[in-house]
């Protein structure tokens, strides 16, 4: 607990945290403005309709969340990688271990701390996204009958919990990659490569890639967001059942965090 | 198994990095309550040894005892009583000095409240403790690194070139702090290249080269045993003088060394015996025109590590 709290405190102070928050919130607001603009497209009625749906409540609640998780997932991955890489390159892991700290405990506490902050950043961006959607809807005169109903509120609670799992998995995978690379930049690069690599390979072998971390994440969150999955329609036959996807995401989370801990336990710490 | 009165014992420590041998069967014995000077040319294996002693790196073979207990895999709790500064001090650049020490205090052994400010005082960094470490000078970082090593009030302190970048006042302060710790019964191991400093500071030295121990013992004893007396004699008296000295000191203990000024006879013996040698020469009817006696850690180091002749030393 002492160690976890200490990791939290130093991450709050870390510039990378603020930069990631601003980046995510900025990207989400930018996307919403673009969506609002698209909703005014008279030449393309179909995309105009889809765009209007995103700005219409109550569906906007889950659609915005899906958007935040899609963008935030990759940022959470690079955030995890940056934190692990810095522990090695700054030598702060070295000093903790030389003080007799357990390497595995230190690693897991760092992952937990980074997850909490990444999750908080996701919520902040989500809140900003909802405010942005409300403002954009008002600006382009899209009116909603009800802001929120019982059904949506129920869905949302479940979705938010699943989002936390997804973020934890992303952070852990980023952390594990950078632990092997022992560098912030290499970890971030490899993390982004994995993120896009999975999508590209998924075009060719969807039956295998549906088990991969990011495909499982989107399947897990896919429940209420099939409307925006237009681009992924080709792959929809190769989607995991949402409940099975939860198990797969948890498995990736445990695997990545466990791998990072074991790798750190066994490594020589030079520098 | 465990040796009494030894804070560190290593037996046959070996470690290689790929094809590079870093340690090649190192046997050290660091007595409790002393300042131990850990010396060796660049690349001799000092830092590697300290990494092994703090559990950062595992040796390929050999064993370690720390503070009277075997230290191996899963024995990390002994390190709660060890403080270390290994190679460059490491900190979060975006946190202040004080926050960095607090972060460290959250890992490993428990640190009492107020200890952070105590060690900041000890290294005279209190008034800059609130500034970000990224804005610290090299010497300030070094001071913070020493403060970090002292955080858990260690029974054994391991310092890798701690005087790096310290100003003269800092060096004097460090020397006083380390002497005071040894006087309290704590053990301090310092690796250093500043031999004049080690000569003033250390009770015992260990000199390593190419991953092996070449000499270990109390500084005063080593310098006495490995000392030399140099006597300037006329060239035509070298044979007489040499024979007279060898009668006193034993065959093979005297060698001849020439330089621009003439001939030196160099006798390997306790420098305190210079007067004896002078008397012996006089008895043989030879009078030395100059006598120099003594040994420094530097001359001993250069001779033992075989780095005297190379331009830049090194193993
Ligand atoms: N991480 C590493 N990878 C490869 N080789 C290494 C590594 N660390 C040390 N070595 C090698 O091990 C040997 C001993 O290095 P070490 O750092 O222990 O020397 P040192 O006595 O501390 O030297 P210096 O006085 O320069 O600090 C050297 O030959 C070095 O090149
Ligand atoms: Mg070194």
């Amino acid at each position: 607990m002492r160690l976890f709290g200490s990791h939290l405190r130093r991450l709050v102070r870390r510039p990378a945290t603020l930069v990631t928050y601003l980046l995510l919130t900025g990207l989400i607001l930018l996307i919403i403005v673009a969506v609002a603009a698209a909703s005014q497209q008279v030449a393309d009625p179909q995309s105009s309709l889809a765009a209007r749906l995103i700005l219409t409540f109550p569906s906007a609640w889950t659609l915005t969340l899906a958007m935040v998780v899609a963008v935030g997932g990759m940022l959470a991955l690079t955030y995890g990688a940056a934190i692990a890489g810095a522990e090695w390159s700054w030598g702060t892991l070295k000093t903790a271990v030389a003080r007799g700290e357990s390497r595995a405990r230190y690693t897991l506490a760092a992952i937990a701390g980074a997850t909490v902050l990444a999750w908080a950043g996701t919520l902040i961006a989500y809140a900003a996204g909802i405010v942005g959607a409300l403002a954009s809807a008002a600006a382009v005169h899209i009116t909603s009958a009800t802001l929120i109903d019982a059904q949506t509120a129920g869905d949302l609670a479940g979705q938010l919990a699943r989002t936390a799992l997804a973020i934890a998995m992303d952070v852990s995978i980023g952390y594990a990659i950078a632990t092997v690379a022992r560098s912030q930049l290499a970890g971030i690069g490899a993390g982004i490569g994995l993120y896009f690599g999975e999508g590209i390979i998924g075009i060719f072998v969807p039956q295998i890639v549906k088990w991969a971390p990011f495909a499982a994440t989107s399947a897990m969150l896919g429940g209420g967001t099939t409307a925006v999955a237009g681009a992924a329609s080709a792959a929809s036959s190769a989607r995991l059942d949402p409940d099975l996807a939860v198990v797969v995401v948890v498995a990736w989370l445990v695997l990545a965090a466990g791998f990072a801990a074991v790798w750190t336990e066994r490594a020589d710490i030079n520098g | 198994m465990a040796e009494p009165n030894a804070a560190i014992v290593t037996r046959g420590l070996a470690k290689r990095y790929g094809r590079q041998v870093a340690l090649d069967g190192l046997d050290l014995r660091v007595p409790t309550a002393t300042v131990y000077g850990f010396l060796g040319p660049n690349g001799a294996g000092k830092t590697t040894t300290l990494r092994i002693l703090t559990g950062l790196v595992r040796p390929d073979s050999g064993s370690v005892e720390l503070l009277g207990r075997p230290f191996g895999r899963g024995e990390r709790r002994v390190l709660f009583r060890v403080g270390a500064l290994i190679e460059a001090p490491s900190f979060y650049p975006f946190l202040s000095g004080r926050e960095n020490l607090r972060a460290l205090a959250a890992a490993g052994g428990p640190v009492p409240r107020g200890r952070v400010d105590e060690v900041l005082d000890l290294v005279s960094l209190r008034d800059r403790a609130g500034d970000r470490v990224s804005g610290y000078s090299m010497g300030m970082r070094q001071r913070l690194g020493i403060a970090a090593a002292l955080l858990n009030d260690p029974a054994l302190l391991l310092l890798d070139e701690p005087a790096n970048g310290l100003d003269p006042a800092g060096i004097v302060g460090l020397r006083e702090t380390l002497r005071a710790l040894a006087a309290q019964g704590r053990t301090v191991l310092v690796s250093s290249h500043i031999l004049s400093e080690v000569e003033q500071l250390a009770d015992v030295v260990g000199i390593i080269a190419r991953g092996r121990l070449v000499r270990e013992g109390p500084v005063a004893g080593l310098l006495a045993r490995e000392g030399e007396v140099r006597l300037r004699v006329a060239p035509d008296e070298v044979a007489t003088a040499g024979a007279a000295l060898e009668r006193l000191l034993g065959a093979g203990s005297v060698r001849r060394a020439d330089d621009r000024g003439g001939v030196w006879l160099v006798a390997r013996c306790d420098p305190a015996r210079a007067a004896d040698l002078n008397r012996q020469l006089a008895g043989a009817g030879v009078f030395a025109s100059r006598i120099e006696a003594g040994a420094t850690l530097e001359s001993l180091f250069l001779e033992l590590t075989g780095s005297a002749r190379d331009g830049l030393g090194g193993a």
Side-chain angles (χ1 to χ4, degrees):
Chain A
M1 228 31 222
R2 177 175 66 126
L3 194 56
F4 171 68
S6 166
H7 272 295
L8 267 189
R9 271 192 299 281
R10 71 191 79 156
L11 289 174
V12 167
R13 298 288 312 281
R14 190 164 167 168
T17 305
L18 183 65
V19 169
T20 310
Y21 280 21
L22 291 177
L23 202 62
L24 179 57
T25 306
L27 281 174
I28 294 304
L29 291 177
L30 215 64
I31 293 172
I32 290 196
V33 168
V35 166
S39 72
Q40 300 307 97
Q41 288 261 314
V42 272
D44 185 353
Q46 216 171 352
S47 65
S48 163
L49 194 70
R52 292 180 76 86
L53 198 61
I54 295 178
L55 297 181
T56 307
F57 286 82
S59 62
W61 287 102
T62 42
L63 293 179
T64 307
L65 183 61
M67 204 160 71
V68 171
V69 175
V71 180
M74 194 185 74
L75 285 178
L77 191 85
T78 56
Y79 185 66
I83 285 156
E87 283 296 333
W88 288 89
S89 53
W90 287 339
T92 40
L93 169 71
K94 171 186 82 176
T95 25
V97 170
R99 285 178 53 76
E101 184 52 62
S102 146
R103 300 173 181 213
R105 219 169 65 119
Y106 189 86
T107 303
L108 295 177
I111 290 177
T115 298
V116 168
L117 284 188
W119 170 231
T122 308
L123 291 183
I124 291 171
Y126 180 48
I130 290 295
V131 171
L134 283 170
S136 305
V140 298
H141 307 295
I142 298 174
T143 48
S144 305
T146 46
L147 203 56
I148 191 159
D149 52 24
Q151 164 82 39
T152 311
D155 279 359
L156 205 56
Q159 288 296 86
L160 281 173
R162 290 176 175 213
T163 307
L165 269 187
I167 295 293
M169 181 201 76
D170 292 328
V171 168
S172 305
I173 291 176
Y175 202 100
I177 292 173
T179 297
V180 176
R182 295 191 181 191
S183 122
Q184 299 193 62
L185 265 182
I188 292 170
I192 293 176
L194 176 73
Y195 189 83
F196 288 109
E198 190 194 298
I200 292 166
I201 296 169
I203 297 170
F204 304 105
V205 280
Q207 289 303 331
I208 296 171
V209 170
K210 71 177 176 184
W211 297 96
F214 302 112
T217 305
S218 75
M220 172 177 79
L221 298 170
T225 62
T226 35
V228 284
S233 60
S236 64
S237 66
R239 251 173 186 250
L240 294 178
D241 164 72
D243 291 329
L244 176 58
V246 172
V247 177
V248 173
V249 167
V250 170
W252 278 112
L253 160 60
V254 170
L255 202 71
F259 178 84
V262 170
W263 185 279
T264 308
E265 255 327 312
R266 308 188 66 103
D268 272 359
I269 303 177
N270 296 300
Chain B
M1 249 313 267
E3 284 196 36
N5 308 323
I8 304 173
V9 179
T10 74
R11 294 194 187 88
L13 274 196
K15 176 74 187 176
R16 27 190 336 145
Y17 288 98
R19 289 180 50 236
Q20 185 66 49
V21 176
L23 292 179
D24 183 20
L26 182 67
D27 301 303
L28 291 183
R29 188 179 178 286
V30 178
T32 308
T34 54
V35 177
Y36 183 99
F38 191 36
L39 313 178
N42 292 138
K46 303 181 295 297
T47 300
T48 304
T49 306
L50 294 184
R51 285 185 191 131
I52 291 174
L53 293 178
T54 45
L56 296 171
V57 161
R58 274 176 279 272
D60 300 335
S61 58
S63 66
V64 175
E65 271 168 36
L66 277 189
L67 298 170
R69 271 197 257 148
F71 177 65
R73 263 198 118 117
E75 300 286 333
R76 62 183 173 85
R77 274 165 195 280
V78 180
L79 295 175
F80 289 4
R81 299 200 291 138
V82 176
L85 168 59
I86 296 174
E87 234 155 42
S90 312
F91 298 106
Y92 294 102
F94 55 89
L95 293 182
S96 72
R98 183 180 282 111
E99 287 166 331
N100 264 295
L101 293 186
R102 291 223 176 101
L104 264 187
V111 174
R113 272 194 164 279
R115 180 64 183 165
V116 165
D117 281 323
E118 243 172 74
V119 293
L120 283 169
D121 271 336
L122 208 58
V123 298
S124 318
L125 210 57
R126 185 84 175 257
D127 52 334
R128 296 294 300 273
D131 298 356
R132 285 177 179 222
V133 167
S134 57
Y136 277 14
S137 71
M138 177 184 174
M140 289 165 70
R141 276 173 217 231
Q142 193 69 20
R143 283 167 188 259
L144 190 59
I146 294 168
L150 292 169
L151 201 55
N152 51 348
D153 201 9
L156 170 63
L157 188 60
L158 308 171
L159 300 174
D160 197 1
E161 298 177 38
N164 233 345
L166 290 189
D167 57 26
I171 292 181
V172 172
L174 178 66
R175 190 194 305 149
E176 285 168 357
T177 304
L178 299 187
R179 292 289 351 156
L181 289 173
Q184 292 165 18
R186 297 164 205 277
T187 310
V188 181
L189 180 146
V190 215
S191 94
S192 177
H193 293 300
I194 310 173
L195 297 179
S196 55
E197 178 60 31
V198 174
E199 207 173 320
Q200 288 185 64
L201 174 67
D203 307 299
V204 181
V205 292
I207 301 177
I208 68 169
R210 296 177 192 84
R212 288 174 153 276
L213 186 73
V214 291
R215 203 66 102 238
E216 186 175 67
V219 179
L222 277 184
L223 291 184
R225 221 173 322 120
E226 319 258 352
E228 55 186 33
V229 177
R230 296 153 66 84
L231 306 115
R232 174 80 87 198
V233 293
D236 58 342
E237 291 173 335
V238 166
T240 326
L245 291 177
E246 291 209 324
R247 270 200 304 282
L248 183 69
L249 299 172
S253 59
V254 182
R255 67 189 159 86
R256 175 181 169 156
D258 294 2
D259 66 10
R260 255 175 298 153
V263 183
W264 286 107
L265 283 179
V266 183
R268 183 156 270 298
C269 68
D270 184 344
R273 298 188 65 192
D276 287 349
L277 303 196
N278 197 11
R279 192 175 305 116
Q280 177 79 2
L281 280 191
V286 179
F287 293 89
S289 59
R290 273 176 78 186
I291 300 179
E292 291 175 1
T296 59
L297 208 44
E298 188 170 85
S299 62
L300 181 64
F301 178 90
L302 293 176
E303 190 186 316
L304 289 176
T305 58
S307 41
R309 254 162 287 120
D310 316 353
L312 263 174

